[in-house]
Amino acid sequence: MARPTSSRHTPERITAATEEAFHLRFLAQCAVPDTQMTTVGEVLHLVDVVTGSAATLTPRESRWEVREGGPVKLWEQIERVLSAYDEAGRPGPETFTLHVYEGGQHLRHPQMPILPLPQP
């Protein structure tokens, strides 16, 4: 894995037992659809079962340290969605629309990047 960096967002944004975190977990899953998440102790692990990419988030003093490896930077992708969500004013699930067409499905919000949904 690559050298550690500091996380801009805490993993609690997607792991907390809140309605907002549930919504953010869905958006994160759209951003990295083949990724599985697990927590061991205080360390969050993300593993993309298709590309073999992985990320770990470890608490270090007052910040979270991120290590990523593989062709897809999983936490970086999730942070992009979290930042876009914040910049859009933290829109609720009811403000998103699902677009279905021949080529697939996308989740859209006027102030956020389009998120493709996994193909069956």
Side-chain angles (χ1 to χ4, degrees):
M1 283 206 184
R3 225 171 109 168
T5 61
S6 289
S7 175
R8 292 184 318 242
H9 298 279
T10 67
E12 287 93 359
R13 298 278 315 267
I14 62 171
T15 62
T18 65
E19 286 184 34
E20 183 179 57
F22 181 80
H23 177 49
L24 288 173
R25 272 192 303 280
F26 176 73
L27 297 178
Q29 189 70 60
C30 290
V32 288
D34 299 312
T35 300
Q36 296 178 2
M37 177 178 71
T38 190
T39 303
V40 178
E42 293 184 315
V43 179
L44 178 78
H45 300 271
L46 301 167
V47 178
D48 184 317
V49 297
V50 173
T51 68
S53 300
T56 60
L57 284 89
T58 307
R60 296 279 186 244
E61 298 165 9
S62 63
R63 64 183 178 87
W64 285 86
E65 183 178 274
V66 181
R67 288 183 182 265
E68 298 195 85
V72 179
K73 302 299 180 214
L74 303 173
W75 188 249
E76 187 176 304
Q77 294 288 99
I78 291 171
E79 283 196 313
R80 280 189 194 131
V81 169
L82 294 175
S83 291
Y85 172 80
D86 290 343
E87 289 166 15
R90 296 182 163 196
E94 70 282 356
T95 65
F96 288 78
T97 56
L98 178 63
H99 293 261
V100 180
Y101 58 98
E102 248 181 67
Q105 303 175 44
H106 288 85
L107 189 62
R108 295 184 184 199
H109 186 276
Q111 297 172 312
M112 290 187 61
I114 295 171
L115 295 168
L117 296 179
Q119 296 291 323

